[in-house]
């Protein structure tokens, strides 16, 4: 009976995760006149999903990437690509987790 419950739970979660893109809504543009806010006008649902799902996963990816960077540091130093490894494993996930606005799809600040 435990196997049946586990299989049903995995099937339900997988089906739910596969249905997420079908339920995604189109973000309407803001008409406030500010080009930065018009480009990034996230809805409340995308902000809630970002703070509850994406940010914890990105923070976890940053921590795991830092650990992997430390493990790979001797090999990266021998290969001469320490900066590239640090950027890919630590800086990029950290930038997405801490610099990107809540619910936005682009990271960082745009200066026009």
């Amino acid at each position: 009976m435990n196997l049946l419950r586990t299989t049903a739970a995995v099937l339900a979660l997988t089906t739910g995760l596969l249905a997420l893109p079908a339920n995604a809504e189109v973000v309407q543009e803001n008409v406030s006149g500010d080009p930065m806010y018009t480009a990034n006008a996230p809805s409340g649902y995308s902000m809630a999903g970002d703070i509850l799902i994406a940010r914890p996963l990105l923070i976890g990816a940053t921590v795991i990437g830092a650990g992997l960077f430390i493990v790979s540091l001797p090999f990266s130093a021998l290969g001469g690509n320490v900066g590239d490894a640090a950027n890919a494993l630590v800086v990029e996930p950290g930038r997405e987790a801490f610099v990107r606005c809540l619910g936005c799809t682009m990271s960082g600040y745009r200066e026009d």
Side-chain angles (χ1 to χ4, degrees):
M1 192 64 169
N2 192 14
L3 178 64
L4 180 64
R5 286 183 184 170
T6 304
T7 305
V10 167
L11 181 62
L13 288 174
T14 304
T15 305
L17 287 175
L18 289 175
L20 282 177
N23 294 331
E25 67 180 43
V26 176
V27 176
Q28 296 179 356
E29 289 193 20
N30 184 12
V31 291
S32 68
D34 184 10
M36 180 62 186
Y37 190 70
T38 302
N40 293 322
S43 67
Y45 292 117
S46 63
M47 288 182 181
D50 192 9
I51 195 70
L52 294 174
I53 298 170
R55 298 296 168 117
L57 289 175
L58 286 168
I59 291 170
T62 304
V63 170
I64 291 170
L68 289 173
F69 173 70
I70 291 171
V71 169
S72 71
L73 191 57
F75 307 107
S76 298
L78 289 173
N81 62 346
V82 174
D84 294 336
N87 190 30
L89 294 173
V90 181
V91 174
E92 288 178 9
R95 184 182 308 129
E96 290 294 323
F98 297 110
V99 177
R100 182 173 49 91
C101 71
L102 192 61
C104 294
T105 56
M106 297 184 313
S107 66
Y109 299 103
R110 272 187 15 193
E111 294 184 22
D112 292 328

